[in-house]
Amino acid sequence: MVAEAEHVKGKEGVEFARRWLNYTTRLDAPWTVYDNAQFTTLLRPDRTPHRFDLAGRFLDPPGRDFYAEVKKYEKQLDLKKKYEEFLVNCYAVTVHMLDTQPDRNTQFFWISWSPHSATRWEELSSPVEVRAACGNHPSILGGAKVADDMLQLVASRLWLLILSDKHSELMMRPEYFAHVKAQAVRDAT
């Protein structure tokens, strides 16, 4: 029963984050792990999959993909550990992507409803933080070596967002969004 409630809460959080990202009009977030897992899954160097909660692309400027991890927690709970795992997964999938395809400047979003490590906020997306996370969770690396240039690259592609249910009051109405999105798509192509 608790696992089912967590699943529903997680799904609601992912859907809210998807709508919020779409309503920025700068992003198109069509895929969630709940309805299109194949589009939210990336491989680590050992070819094990990691599923992000959301995936999509930037509309402005076009040409960049993004993947997002969403945590709708009311309190910090284990967010620090989950964030570290997110960082290591971002590192590992980036290494694998760059080894197997041209660089697509893939971005990674951490979206939560509760902040963690707030006294260190400006450090949370630094190469030092990514290195520490890799050291704390080496099994996630999938055999990837930790390199300074890769730490810098991954850190430069991290986005940290804190949402609130009240953000729904700031989103444009769906009927306006449909018009804006149509124009943004036309402008991006």
Side-chain angles (χ1 to χ4, degrees):
M1 189 63 121
V2 172
E4 185 177 324
E6 296 267 330
H7 175 77
V8 168
K9 189 174 186 177
K11 193 171 182 177
E12 288 172 0
V14 169
E15 181 55 30
F16 184 94
R18 185 189 69 76
R19 261 191 355 266
W20 190 88
L21 291 172
N22 280 334
Y23 281 29
T24 68
T25 69
R26 303 281 308 275
L27 302 163
D28 181 30
W31 304 297
T32 75
V33 70
Y34 298 104
D35 55 16
N36 287 293
Q38 70 272 23
F39 295 115
T40 65
T41 302
L42 294 175
L43 296 177
R44 299 180 192 112
D46 63 359
R47 306 201 48 79
T48 58
H50 175 70
R51 287 183 176 83
F52 289 90
D53 292 321
L54 283 169
R57 67 184 66 84
F58 280 77
L59 297 172
D60 179 27
R64 292 187 293 173
D65 293 337
F66 75 86
Y67 293 84
E69 193 69 29
V70 179
K71 301 294 180 210
K72 188 173 182 185
Y73 292 7
E74 294 174 12
K75 298 183 180 178
Q76 287 188 38
L77 300 173
D78 61 348
L79 278 179
K80 182 181 183 303
K81 179 180 180 245
K82 296 290 188 188
Y83 180 70
E84 285 181 347
E85 292 169 356
F86 164 77
L87 292 178
V88 180
N89 277 301
C90 292
Y91 185 92
V93 300
T94 300
V95 167
H96 181 73
M97 283 191 295
L98 295 179
D99 283 347
T100 59
Q101 63 190 353
D103 187 3
R104 294 170 41 189
N105 194 9
T106 301
Q107 307 288 302
F108 300 97
F109 288 77
W110 171 264
I111 303 169
S112 74
W113 270 248
S114 180
H116 66 90
S117 308
T119 60
R120 300 179 42 255
W121 186 255
E122 63 279 350
E123 300 165 30
L124 292 180
S125 59
S126 71
V128 171
E129 193 75 15
V130 178
R131 179 185 296 280
C134 288
N136 290 339
H137 303 279
S139 63
I140 297 174
L141 286 172
K145 302 292 183 222
V146 178
D148 289 340
D149 60 335
M150 191 61 69
L151 292 167
Q152 187 68 38
L153 180 71
V154 171
S156 73
R157 296 178 178 189
L158 296 172
W159 298 67
L160 301 164
L161 302 174
I162 304 297
L163 291 180
S164 158
D165 290 340
K166 284 195 167 203
H167 277 93
S168 65
E169 296 175 27
L170 301 175
M171 287 192 273
M172 71 177 77
R173 293 196 315 247
E175 60 271 19
Y176 295 145
F177 173 68
H179 293 292
V180 172
K181 182 178 179 185
Q183 184 62 47
V185 169
R186 282 192 297 275
D187 290 348
T189 54

